[in-house]
Amino acid sequence: MRLRRRFIVLIAVTVVGAIVCCGGSAAAFFLGGFGVMQSDTASAALACGSNTALDPGGNLPSIESLSDAQIHNAAVIISVGQQMNVPPRGWIIAIATALQESALKNLPNLGARNDHDSLGLFQQRPSTGWGTPEQIMDPAYASKKFYAKLIEIPNWQQLPLTVAAQKVQRSAYPDAYAKHEPLATAVVNKLANDAGRAVGNLTSRRCTQPGEIAASGWTVPVKGHITSGFRTPSRPTHNGVDIAAIPGTDIHAAADGVVTVVRCQATLADGSYYGCAKDGGLFVKGCGWYVEILHAGNIITRYCHQQHKPFVAVGQRVSAGDVIGQVGDTGNSTGPHCHFEVHINGDNSAAGAIDPVPFMNEQGAPLGD
């Protein structure tokens, strides 16, 4: 019967593209859940930028938490990046760096509070060759100098934001850059027609495809059909989406981060351990083999029902696109798929879960086939 079930499931995945999946945390075991219904398959139209140059002196949109002066400075950074034909990923790195170094404020010499002779948006130092004080205090000049060093770094677009920024800035607190990546992405999307969702430069920009990393730093974990959505009426405690795929399909880290959980979660109704050395089923509770990754902005992603022990370990740093495991059928599952969850505010409980579909759309890494 097991072989027959597997055969039927594989036909459904490869031909029909629809299977009945339980999604490890769906049964009221892994997450309690509460019924906030959101779209499970809707895909927002992605603009992914345009060839229109941004005018920092024009009428700029407001951005929550930022002043007009900060928005203007961000627009200057983007405009210079456009003029230099730097891809949108570079704009996000530059804005995140400026958020950390100066809060996007063109800081003058602060006297006793100054860090050495650091000045301007990027806190560049005249004494280390960035330019004269007058030049560095010009946001356009400072942005040009930042980009000039960034694009000299080999494979800079594939590096985690923190690594790329640190190679330019040589900061004493390199890990601090990463926390600004979500806001920097939002700023680029707001000011530059959703360019944070794109790949390519000013002239060749297009929306990301599965397997590619968007300017936001995010990518699709698994390409496949979404067979069950987030907190649907029939499954109000389903705190993620189920993405059907052939067993053994690689699962990719959706963004840079640190692995916080690697675990087999599979028990029977009486609480006895079922394990993850074999396929699960409706009679099994839990996520099977799963991984959690903590990303910038206190965002957590979860990847359930992996075929065997994941390829990563707790505490390991991963980059967007790294293979962390393979699609399987362990735990509370009726067919091979990846149950994918997104949590905010560092909360991996049901209270922190959000619908992955609109979230991933916003990152330029749309789920589904």
Side-chain angles (χ1 to χ4, degrees):
M1 289 300 293
R2 168 57 68 182
L3 289 176
R4 179 177 176 81
R5 183 178 82 95
R6 172 68 71 185
F7 179 71
I8 293 172
V9 166
L10 284 176
I11 291 177
V13 171
T14 57
V15 179
V16 180
I19 63 175
V20 178
C21 309
C22 279
S25 57
F29 169 75
F30 192 53
L31 298 176
F34 50 87
V36 179
M37 175 58 183
Q38 298 186 43
S39 169
D40 58 348
T41 57
S43 179
L46 306 181
C48 300
S50 67
N51 292 336
T52 302
L54 177 62
D55 178 10
N59 186 20
L60 301 174
S62 61
I63 299 174
E64 187 177 357
S65 80
L66 297 182
S67 68
D68 289 345
Q70 290 171 303
I71 295 169
H72 170 78
N73 288 332
V76 171
I77 292 172
I78 293 172
S79 177
V80 172
Q82 290 176 326
Q83 293 168 27
M84 296 178 66
N85 208 25
V86 175
R89 179 61 178 164
W91 314 348
I92 291 173
I93 294 171
I95 290 175
T97 302
L99 281 165
Q100 171 60 28
E101 297 293 344
S102 69
L104 271 174
K105 298 175 182 177
N106 197 28
L107 298 178
N109 191 303
L110 301 177
R113 292 180 295 150
N114 232 51
D115 179 15
H116 303 287
D117 56 342
S118 303
L119 298 169
L121 291 179
F122 300 96
Q123 291 293 279
Q124 295 159 338
R125 299 177 58 190
S127 63
T128 57
W130 286 94
T132 67
E134 293 75 17
Q135 289 174 322
I136 293 173
M137 286 300 295
D138 175 2
Y141 172 90
S143 299
K144 185 175 181 180
K145 294 292 286 186
F146 180 90
Y147 286 130
K149 290 203 172 186
L150 176 66
I151 61 179
E152 290 178 353
I153 300 169
N155 301 314
W156 65 268
Q157 292 191 72
Q158 282 70 53
L159 296 176
L161 185 147
T162 291
V163 175
Q166 172 66 1
K167 286 180 176 292
V168 176
Q169 294 292 115
R170 302 292 192 270
S171 171
Y173 306 99
D175 291 339
Y177 295 122
K179 66 185 179 185
H180 301 290
E181 189 167 11
L183 178 55
T185 300
V187 169
V188 167
N189 283 337
K190 189 77 170 181
L191 297 180
N193 198 23
D194 295 324
R197 299 168 173 167
V199 293
N201 57 27
L202 183 64
T203 56
S204 64
R205 187 180 312 135
R206 56 183 173 78
C207 293
T208 52
Q209 303 298 312
E212 296 178 332
I213 299 173
S216 65
W218 287 75
T219 190
V220 176
V222 176
K223 185 181 185 303
H225 183 66
I226 295 178
T227 57
S228 186
F230 178 82
R231 295 179 184 165
T232 60
S234 61
R235 306 182 68 196
T237 61
H238 191 231
N239 296 303
V241 295
D242 293 338
I243 306 171
I246 295 173
T249 299
D250 287 340
I251 300 173
H252 303 270
D256 302 335
V258 177
V259 176
T260 54
V261 176
V262 175
R263 181 185 177 194
C264 167
Q265 185 189 56
T267 62
L268 298 176
D270 62 4
S272 60
Y273 183 65
Y274 179 79
C276 294
K278 50 192 172 183
D279 289 343
L282 287 174
F283 58 91
V284 181
K285 296 181 179 181
C287 217
W289 277 118
Y290 76 97
V291 169
E292 287 184 11
I293 301 174
L294 177 63
H295 308 281
N298 274 333
I299 296 168
I300 296 171
T301 54
R302 179 180 292 144
Y303 315 75
C304 295
H305 309 305
Q306 297 189 31
Q307 188 176 50
H308 41 65
K309 186 175 182 179
F311 301 145
V312 292
V314 172
Q316 180 177 337
R317 290 186 176 273
V318 294
S319 298
D322 283 354
V323 177
I324 61 173
Q326 294 181 324
V327 169
D329 193 15
T330 56
N332 183 237
S333 171
T334 62
H337 69 287
C338 175
H339 173 85
F340 178 64
E341 296 184 12
V342 175
H343 295 248
I344 59 174
N345 300 324
D347 183 355
N348 66 355
S349 73
I354 62 171
D355 189 342
V357 171
F359 175 84
M360 294 298 284
N361 279 345
E362 285 297 313
Q363 312 313 312
L367 301 175
D369 51 12

